[in-house]
C-alpha cells in the first residue's frame, strides 16, 4: 500500500525517473538497479540525525523510491 501511495504522490514519468536515478534510457537494468540502491542508501532518512535533515532526506528518498 505504501509504494502505491508514493507513486501517486510523486507521479514521475519515465524520463523524470531516469533523471532522478542519474541514468539514461539505454542503461541496462543492472545499472538502473545499482543506481537505485546507491541513492536509496545515501538518502535513507535513518542516516540523518537532525529533524530538518531527516525531512529533506525523506523527500529525496520518496523521489528515488518512486523512480
Amino acid at each position: 500500500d505504501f509504494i502505491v501511495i508514493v507513486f501517486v504522490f510523486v507521479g514521475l514519468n519515465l524520463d523524470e525517473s531516469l533523471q532522478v536515478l542519474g541514468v539514461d534510457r539505454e542503461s541496462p537494468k543492472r545499472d538502473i538497479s545499482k543506481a537505485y540502491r546507491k541513492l536509496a542508501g545515501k538518502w535513507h532518512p535513518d542516516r540523518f540525525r537532525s529533524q530538518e535533515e531527516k525531512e529533506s532526506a525523506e523527500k529525496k528518498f520518496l523521489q528515488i523510491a518512486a523512480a
Side-chain angles (χ1 to χ4, degrees):
D1 291 338
F2 178 74
I3 292 175
V4 173
I5 293 170
V6 170
F7 281 110
V8 171
F9 176 72
V10 178
L12 299 176
N13 66 33
L14 178 61
D15 290 329
E16 292 169 333
S17 295
L18 295 173
Q19 184 178 14
V20 166
L21 297 177
V23 296
D24 57 31
R25 284 183 175 263
E26 289 77 33
S27 297
K29 184 177 179 182
R30 181 185 71 234
D31 291 348
I32 295 170
S33 296
K34 186 176 179 180
Y36 168 79
R37 286 191 308 274
K38 181 179 177 181
L39 289 172
K42 178 180 178 180
W43 289 102
H44 195 282
D46 290 346
R47 293 192 58 181
F48 297 89
R49 295 189 187 269
S50 77
Q51 189 62 30
E52 184 177 307
E53 289 176 329
K54 279 184 182 278
E55 290 173 4
S56 175
E58 186 175 347
K59 289 177 186 175
K60 184 71 173 176
F61 185 76
L62 289 175
Q63 283 184 324
I64 294 164

